[in-house]
Amino acid sequence: MRRIDVPACLAVLAFVLAGPCFAQMPLPTASATDRAEARAIFKELIEINTTDTPQGSVTAGSAAMQKRFLDAGFPAKDVNLLGPDVRKMNLVVRLRAAAPGTKKPVLFLCHMDVVQALRSDWHTDPFEFVEKDGYYYGRGTQDMKDSDAALVATFLRLHREGYRPKRDLILALTADEEGGKFNGADWLVRQHRDLVDAAWVINPDAGGVELDHGRAVVADVEATEKVYSDFQVTAVNPGGHSSRPRPDNAIYELTAALNKLAAYTFPFELNEVTRTYFKNLAGQETGQTAADLRAILATPPDMAAAARLGSEPSFNSNFRTTCVATMLKAGHAPNALAQTAQANVNCRIFPGHSPEEIRQRLIGIFGDAKLSVKYVSDSYVVSDTAPQRKAMVPPPPISEVFEPLTRITQAIWPGVPVTPVMENGASDSFYFAQAGIPCYGYSAIALERDDDRAHGQDERLPIDSYWKSLDFFYAYSKAVSGE
Ligand SMILES: [Zn+2]
């Protein structure tokens, strides 16, 4: 299958239903013992504070999981605790193939850190694992200790059952995705490529099953994401007394430039992922929106339809690079001409373009050689030029990844369409994609559309969603590493 579009989904489903029919057979569900262990791991992880604060330690979480793997009999050489900082150690676990094979491993990438949560903001203690009304409560129950725990439990179960995969399976539990100076995904792929090299990455930090009043509506798989970049735009001026204004003025020069940006629209673009996404969406929408979605997929795309859809910010940001002024500062006294006027321009860059290319574009839009346009890195270092590296243009969804993902998802949630999507945000997939390893964001976690509590108060996960993700990862791990 070249990519998951509607006909392809139907074809897969038809094949599955006609064949010896995995989909009709319920997936093997975890036993009571397996579930008890998976629950205990989840509880242990929630109750270890892994925030980037003086109270938090990712190492504590990694070390607790390391102990579980070693106690279970994993060889020490396949359970690596490593990192650049004593409180930010990552854990990389390898379930080794029965015999060295030709297929590269599959890696599951899971960040272990969580966003800070204050007891005073919550109804329960965020660092206590609380079971209530069919939910597990606690910081990280959605983002993403649910998946950390489900994958630890899956690896332990596969090992306990004596499963011998035909390719290595790797689990990387990493630091500082949410913030902090020691991003584990970045560090591992740069410093220990051999430990984390893979045919592809499944990152459960994105994607999942959307529920509407309990009904599974769609399973999103994040197949690409935009690149985040900040630019510092500065106008300078000798200044002087405000009673004697000069013809040149830092504030006016900067605001004139920003007004040009406000009037500018980056070119309309599609890639394999967004094309498929819009095509699937057109089948669910009605009226003008459905017609416009089909019209932008035509060759050439209908720009009037793109303009109509573009008035909706979420569509607009899904088919072009966007840059917007987000901060402004200028002047130093009410009665003085500003010597400096400065803006931050935040860009979300469509895959296939580099930050430097966008910096040059901004310079062109502003058309004022007196302005400087500098790049601001994630760690707030300002530089004259921006990185040349481009976010990878997504390949067509790989059948080896999507066929089992679709088949198993539809065995758990019958009939749910599986669609690749482009996220406007950014995750740790970025670092692996930069290194040329395809990444797919999928958690197999089913959540109500209006119950996203990641980073928020009273974060919770339906217990049933946890069990289903456990069944998914067990079946998927076997499917990609079996016959
Ligand atoms: Zn996350």
Side-chain angles (χ1 to χ4, degrees):
M1 167 173 47
R2 228 168 69 76
R3 60 171 189 254
I4 303 283
D5 51 19
V6 173
C9 274
L10 294 176
V12 167
L13 194 59
F15 163 77
V16 167
L17 292 173
C21 213
F22 195 63
Q24 285 176 345
M25 292 189 298
L27 273 188
T29 51
S31 70
T33 317
D34 296 329
R35 284 188 174 188
E37 182 183 50
R39 185 189 186 283
I41 295 165
F42 198 3
K43 179 178 192 304
E44 184 175 27
L45 283 178
I46 293 293
E47 296 186 349
I48 297 172
N49 182 333
T50 54
T51 57
D52 183 37
T53 65
Q55 296 77 40
S57 166
V58 171
T59 302
S62 297
M65 296 304 106
Q66 179 193 37
K67 179 171 188 318
R68 285 184 179 269
F69 284 111
L70 293 177
D71 288 352
F74 274 68
K77 71 173 180 356
D78 291 338
V79 184
N80 286 284
L81 184 76
L82 70 177
D85 183 88
V86 68
R87 289 173 50 249
K88 305 288 187 177
M89 301 291 267
N90 311 285
L91 187 71
V92 182
V93 180
R94 183 175 295 252
L95 186 65
R96 213 167 268 280
T102 49
K103 283 183 168 179
K104 283 178 115 177
V106 173
L107 183 136
F108 297 92
L109 177 63
C110 297
H111 72 77
M112 281 275 274
D113 57 317
V114 292
V115 170
Q116 172 67 309
L118 300 177
R119 176 69 186 90
S120 53
D121 292 338
W122 281 51
H123 290 93
T124 59
D125 182 342
F127 298 102
E128 186 188 331
F129 188 75
V130 174
E131 183 174 335
K132 197 172 64 168
D133 305 329
Y135 292 89
Y136 293 134
Y137 284 81
R139 172 55 89 225
T141 47
Q142 283 189 8
D143 184 10
M144 58 173 290
K145 286 179 170 171
D146 48 348
S147 304
D148 301 348
L151 277 152
V152 169
T154 297
F155 273 52
L156 288 171
R157 179 177 166 196
L158 290 170
H159 181 262
R160 181 165 59 242
E161 291 175 352
Y163 177 65
R164 307 302 302 275
K166 294 227 169 0
R167 71 193 321 161
D168 291 2
L169 297 171
I170 306 171
L171 172 60
L173 301 168
T174 65
D176 283 7
E177 190 275 342
E178 303 286 7
K181 288 189 295 209
F182 302 102
N183 184 287
D186 186 21
W187 186 82
L188 285 168
V189 88
R190 279 178 204 274
Q191 307 292 332
H192 295 276
R193 172 80 183 233
D194 54 321
L195 273 183
V196 294
D197 201 23
W200 72 85
V201 167
I202 296 289
N203 179 356
D205 200 20
V209 178
E210 296 182 26
L211 298 178
D212 184 8
H213 296 89
R215 187 176 66 90
V217 181
V218 63
D220 297 326
V221 182
E222 191 211 78
T224 185
E225 54 190 32
K226 291 173 101 178
V227 173
Y228 178 110
S229 288
D230 282 311
F231 297 94
Q232 185 188 72
V233 186
T234 311
V236 294
N237 190 275
H241 203 288
S242 63
S243 63
R244 294 185 299 280
R246 315 158 41 99
D248 53 340
N249 178 294
I251 291 177
Y252 295 160
E253 284 158 12
L254 179 69
T255 53
L258 295 180
N259 283 328
K260 288 181 190 169
L261 177 62
Y264 180 81
T265 305
F266 280 83
F268 173 88
E269 292 184 71
L270 293 170
N271 58 36
E272 289 279 356
V273 169
T274 57
R275 185 175 281 282
T276 305
Y277 170 73
F278 286 128
K279 193 169 170 182
N280 288 351
L281 199 62
Q284 291 171 25
E285 293 284 348
T286 53
Q288 185 72 50
T289 304
D292 285 345
L293 286 167
R294 288 193 186 94
I296 61 169
L297 297 172
T299 312
D302 179 341
M303 285 298 114
R308 276 191 298 274
L309 290 172
S311 64
E312 167 59 47
S314 61
F315 282 138
N316 188 53
S317 56
N318 228 245
F319 51 55
R320 56 170 49 96
T321 294
T322 62
C323 289
V324 61
T326 52
M327 292 197 297
L328 203 53
K329 67 177 180 202
H332 55 282
N335 57 357
L337 299 171
Q339 287 177 264
T340 306
Q342 200 164 70
N344 185 79
V345 171
N346 178 244
C347 298
R348 305 301 176 112
I349 302 172
F350 202 88
H353 304 281
S354 70
E356 178 58 18
E357 182 187 338
I358 299 304
R359 194 184 73 88
Q360 294 294 342
R361 180 66 65 92
L362 289 174
I363 291 170
I365 295 165
F366 298 149
D368 183 346
K370 296 196 298 300
L371 295 178
S372 70
V373 181
K374 297 186 177 181
Y375 174 76
V376 187
S377 78
D378 291 348
S379 45
Y380 309 110
V381 177
V382 179
S383 46
D384 289 340
T385 57
Q388 295 279 1
R389 54 169 199 252
K390 299 172 179 178
M392 199 176 59
V393 176
I398 303 170
S399 152
E400 203 185 359
V401 178
F402 274 85
E403 189 281 325
L405 190 153
T406 303
R407 175 164 50 81
I408 297 164
T409 295
Q410 291 178 340
I412 300 174
W413 295 277
V416 70
V418 176
T419 185
V421 298
M422 180 176 79
E423 286 278 323
N424 296 323
S427 73
D428 276 347
S429 293
F430 172 79
Y431 301 106
F432 280 80
Q434 284 299 319
I437 303 174
C439 295
Y440 301 91
Y442 190 60
S443 65
I445 286 286
L447 278 183
E448 287 291 331
R449 283 173 160 169
D450 61 0
D451 202 33
D452 180 353
R453 300 187 180 198
H455 300 197
Q457 65 167 186
D458 297 339
E459 188 177 345
R460 67 180 186 178
L461 184 79
I463 295 173
D464 180 60
S465 293
Y466 185 55
W467 301 142
K468 285 184 168 144
S469 78
L470 202 60
D471 292 342
F472 173 85
F473 282 122
Y474 178 77
Y476 187 77
S477 299
K478 280 188 139 176
V480 296
S481 64
E483 237 63 55

Coordinates of all heavy atoms in Angstrom, one line a residue, residues 46 122 124-126 128-139 141 453 458-461:
I46 N 4.1 7.0 37.9 CA 3.4 8.2 38.2 C 3.9 8.7 39.6 O 4.0 10.0 39.7 CB 1.9 7.9 38.3 CG1 1.3 7.5 37.0 CG2 1.1 9.1 39.0 CD1 1.3 8.7 36.0
W122 N -4.7 20.8 42.1 CA -5.4 19.5 41.8 C -6.4 19.1 42.9 O -6.2 19.5 44.0 CB -4.3 18.4 41.6 CG -3.6 18.4 40.3 CD1 -3.0 19.4 39.7 CD2 -3.4 17.2 39.5 NE1 -2.4 19.0 38.5 CE2 -2.6 17.7 38.4 CE3 -3.7 15.9 39.6 CZ2 -2.2 16.8 37.3 CZ3 -3.3 15.0 38.5 CH2 -2.6 15.5 37.4
T124 N -6.6 15.8 43.5 CA -5.8 14.7 44.1 C -4.3 15.1 44.1 O -4.0 16.1 43.4 CB -6.0 13.4 43.4 OG1 -5.5 13.6 42.0 CG2 -7.4 12.9 43.3
D125 N -3.5 14.3 44.8 CA -2.1 14.6 44.7 C -1.6 14.1 43.3 O -1.7 13.0 42.9 CB -1.3 13.8 45.8 CG 0.2 14.0 45.8 OD1 0.7 14.5 44.8 OD2 0.8 13.7 46.8
P126 N -1.0 15.1 42.5 CA -0.6 14.7 41.1 C 0.5 13.6 41.1 O 0.6 12.9 40.1 CB -0.1 16.0 40.6 CG 0.1 17.0 41.7 CD -0.8 16.5 42.8
E128 N 0.5 11.0 43.1 CA -0.1 9.8 43.7 C -1.0 9.2 42.6 O -1.7 9.9 42.0 CB -0.9 10.1 45.0 CG -1.4 8.9 45.7 CD -2.3 9.3 46.8 OE1 -2.2 10.4 47.4 OE2 -3.2 8.5 47.1
F129 N -0.8 7.9 42.5 CA -1.6 7.2 41.5 C -3.0 6.9 42.1 O -3.1 6.0 43.0 CB -0.9 5.9 41.1 CG -1.4 5.1 39.9 CD1 -1.3 5.5 38.6 CD2 -2.1 3.9 40.2 CE1 -1.8 4.8 37.6 CE2 -2.6 3.1 39.1 CZ -2.4 3.6 37.8
V130 N -4.0 7.5 41.6 CA -5.3 7.4 42.2 C -6.3 6.8 41.2 O -6.4 7.2 40.0 CB -5.9 8.8 42.6 CG1 -7.3 8.7 43.1 CG2 -5.0 9.4 43.7
E131 N -7.0 5.7 41.6 CA -8.0 5.1 40.8 C -9.4 5.5 41.2 O -9.7 5.3 42.4 CB -7.9 3.5 40.9 CG -8.8 2.8 39.9 CD -8.6 1.3 39.9 OE1 -7.5 0.8 40.2 OE2 -9.6 0.6 39.6
K132 N -10.1 6.1 40.3 CA -11.4 6.7 40.7 C -12.4 6.7 39.5 O -12.0 7.2 38.5 CB -11.2 8.1 41.2 CG -12.3 8.7 42.1 CD -11.9 10.0 42.7 CE -11.6 11.1 41.7 NZ -11.5 12.5 42.2
D133 N -13.6 6.2 39.7 CA -14.6 6.3 38.7 C -14.2 5.8 37.3 O -14.6 6.4 36.3 CB -15.1 7.8 38.5 CG -15.5 8.4 39.9 OD1 -16.0 7.6 40.7 OD2 -15.4 9.6 40.1
G134 N -13.4 4.8 37.3 CA -13.0 4.2 35.9 C -11.8 4.9 35.3 O -11.5 4.7 34.1
Y135 N -11.2 5.8 36.1 CA -10.0 6.5 35.6 C -8.8 6.3 36.5 O -8.9 6.1 37.7 CB -10.2 8.0 35.5 CG -11.3 8.5 34.5 CD1 -12.6 8.5 34.8 CD2 -10.9 8.8 33.2 CE1 -13.6 8.9 33.9 CE2 -11.8 9.2 32.3 CZ -13.2 9.3 32.6 OH -14.1 9.7 31.7
Y136 N -7.6 6.4 35.9 CA -6.4 6.6 36.7 C -6.0 8.1 36.6 O -6.0 8.7 35.6 CB -5.2 5.8 36.1 CG -5.3 4.3 36.1 CD1 -5.1 3.5 35.0 CD2 -5.7 3.7 37.3 CE1 -5.2 2.2 35.1 CE2 -5.8 2.3 37.4 CZ -5.5 1.5 36.3 OH -5.7 0.2 36.3
Y137 N -5.8 8.7 37.8 CA -5.4 10.1 37.9 C -4.0 10.2 38.3 O -3.5 9.4 39.1 CB -6.3 10.8 39.0 CG -7.7 11.1 38.6 CD1 -8.7 10.1 38.6 CD2 -8.0 12.4 38.1 CE1 -10.0 10.4 38.2 CE2 -9.4 12.7 37.7 CZ -10.3 11.7 37.8 OH -11.6 12.0 37.4
G138 N -3.3 11.3 37.8 CA -2.0 11.5 38.2 C -1.2 12.2 37.1 O -1.6 12.1 35.9
R139 N -0.2 13.0 37.4 CA 0.6 13.7 36.4 C 1.3 12.7 35.5 O 2.0 11.8 36.0 CB 1.6 14.6 37.0 CG 2.6 15.2 36.1 CD 1.9 16.0 34.9 NE 1.7 17.4 35.1 CZ 0.5 18.0 34.8 NH1 -0.5 17.3 34.2 NH2 0.4 19.3 35.1
T141 N -0.5 10.6 33.4 CA -1.4 9.6 33.0 C -1.8 9.7 31.5 O -2.1 8.7 30.9 CB -2.7 9.5 33.8 OG1 -3.3 10.8 34.0 CG2 -2.4 9.0 35.2
R453 N -6.2 16.4 28.9 CA -5.7 17.0 30.1 C -4.2 17.0 30.2 O -3.7 17.3 31.3 CB -6.3 16.4 31.3 CG -7.9 16.4 31.3 CD -8.4 15.9 32.6 NE -9.9 16.0 32.6 CZ -10.6 15.9 33.7 NH1 -10.0 15.8 34.9 NH2 -11.9 16.0 33.6
D458 N -5.7 17.7 37.1 CA -6.5 16.5 37.2 C -6.4 15.6 36.0 O -7.3 15.1 35.5 CB -8.0 16.8 37.5 CG -8.2 17.6 38.8 OD1 -7.3 17.5 39.7 OD2 -9.2 18.2 39.0
E459 N -5.1 15.5 35.5 CA -4.8 14.6 34.3 C -5.3 13.2 34.7 O -5.1 12.7 35.8 CB -3.3 14.7 34.1 CG -2.9 14.0 32.8 CD -1.4 14.1 32.5 OE1 -0.7 15.0 33.2 OE2 -0.9 13.4 31.7
R460 N -6.0 12.6 33.7 CA -6.5 11.3 33.9 C -6.6 10.5 32.7 O -6.6 11.0 31.6 CB -7.9 11.4 34.6 CG -8.9 12.0 33.6 CD -10.3 12.1 34.2 NE -11.3 12.5 33.3 CZ -12.6 12.7 33.5 NH1 -13.0 12.4 34.8 NH2 -13.4 13.0 32.6
L461 N -6.7 9.2 32.9 CA -6.8 8.2 31.7 C -7.9 7.2 32.0 O -7.9 6.6 33.1 CB -5.5 7.5 31.5 CG -5.4 6.6 30.3 CD1 -5.2 7.4 29.0 CD2 -4.3 5.6 30.4

